[in-house]
Amino acid sequence: LSLMPAWFLHSRTAFETSLSVSFYAGFLCCYMLYRLKNPKFLYGAVLFSALAFYSYTPMRVIVGITLLGLFFSDLQYHWQRRKTFLRAFGMGLLCLIPLLRFSLNYPGESLRHLEILGSYWVQNISIWEKIATFLQEYIKGLNPFYWFIPNQVDLERHLMKGYGHLWQPAMPFIFVGIFWCVKHFRQSFARLVLIAMLAAPVGAAIVHLGITRALVMVIPATLLTTIGLKTSWDW
């Protein structure tokens, strides 16, 4: 993780994006401990997901998509541990109280925030244009060229000169890691990594692609690199 240029740079700042990514990593860690070691770790996963959710606005969508994906990914396991799951679900509802309170006290503030950022979602264009723009920005967020090649998309202060956002030697291992996850799709861990990877660009796609909004990609990228390295070693 420390070799990823985007994380090396932003983890040394006071930007809330790095804080939210740290909480998101804790969320994924606790969730896998819930699946593989002790069901009570689900409470930790709920707490860390709430901390990530409130740390940075784009993480609201990313955390929501990840939770939804993990819910359906391990539905049978949740049912088998339904007592723990329902308690954790109730805990999650309690964590939503600050958001509900804020929304009631400041109605329309979320839309105003999108207006400040210049999001296309609040522009006077058709819903189909909005969907098309979202898909275009989302696909950009999965484009290896954006992540591995030095770019002119982001502001200078968010770039390390001469580096891509992700560690370039990791690229082949990330593809090997994706291959491994698809091949072992029946394993909960493989599905979790793929869900995290696919959820990572969603927050940025709501406005426009930028490393601060998509920084969370460093977590699945690190996991995929590690899987790829281990798989290549086994080969």
Side-chain angles (χ1 to χ4, degrees):
L1 178 60
S2 63
L3 288 171
M4 301 295 178
W7 181 250
F8 184 88
L9 172 64
H10 290 90
S11 63
R12 284 151 179 79
T13 69
F15 296 146
E16 63 273 29
T17 178
S18 56
L19 186 68
S20 65
V21 172
S22 300
F23 286 139
Y24 186 81
F27 157 49
L28 295 183
C29 178
C30 285
Y31 183 84
M32 282 316 303
L33 289 170
Y34 154 71
R35 280 292 282 114
L36 301 175
K37 189 174 182 181
N38 188 330
K40 291 183 179 180
F41 274 101
L42 185 59
Y43 304 131
V46 172
L47 178 61
F48 274 113
S49 65
L51 290 170
F53 182 90
Y54 285 113
S55 295
Y56 190 43
T57 307
M59 287 297 289
R60 295 183 183 182
V61 188
I62 296 168
V63 169
I65 294 292
T66 306
L67 286 170
L68 192 65
L70 294 176
F71 172 75
F72 287 107
S73 172
D74 298 313
L75 193 57
Q76 186 177 355
Y77 185 84
H78 301 322
W79 177 252
Q80 292 169 353
R81 307 290 188 278
R82 53 188 174 275
K83 187 178 290 187
T84 302
F85 180 81
L86 289 173
R87 285 174 182 166
F89 184 76
M91 183 179 168
L93 292 178
L94 287 174
C95 290
L96 286 175
I97 290 176
L99 178 66
L100 179 62
R101 180 175 176 273
F102 179 82
S103 300
L104 291 172
N105 289 340
Y106 302 97
E109 193 62 28
S110 296
L111 285 176
R112 183 173 172 274
H113 185 64
L114 290 176
E115 289 173 358
I116 292 170
L117 295 173
S119 173
Y120 54 88
W121 283 106
V122 292
Q123 292 176 4
N124 188 25
I125 56 177
S126 70
I127 185 63
W128 298 113
E129 287 180 279
K130 292 176 181 179
I131 293 172
T133 305
F134 173 82
L135 291 174
Q136 185 179 3
E137 292 295 322
Y138 177 76
I139 291 169
K140 282 182 187 176
L142 293 174
N143 188 342
F145 288 101
Y146 170 75
W147 289 104
F148 291 100
I149 306 299
N151 71 74
Q152 303 298 320
V153 175
D154 297 289
L155 297 174
E156 244 182 72
R157 67 172 179 267
H158 295 302
L159 298 168
M160 286 184 66
K161 187 175 181 180
Y163 289 87
H165 290 310
L166 298 181
W167 188 47
Q168 289 180 345
M171 183 163 60
F173 299 108
I174 286 177
F175 284 112
V176 172
I178 293 172
F179 170 77
W180 184 93
C181 288
V182 172
K183 184 180 178 182
H184 296 85
F185 190 74
R186 291 181 178 273
Q187 294 185 25
S188 177
F189 174 68
R191 295 195 299 272
L192 175 138
V193 178
L194 290 175
I195 289 168
M197 180 189 73
L198 294 173
V202 176
I206 290 176
V207 183
H208 58 78
L209 183 61
I211 186 56
T212 53
R213 300 188 185 102
L215 184 63
V216 71
M217 180 64 85
V218 297
I219 301 301
T222 300
L223 292 171
L224 287 167
T225 303
T226 309
I227 293 168
L229 281 164
K230 184 181 182 302
T231 304
S232 300
W233 178 264
D234 291 341
W235 286 343

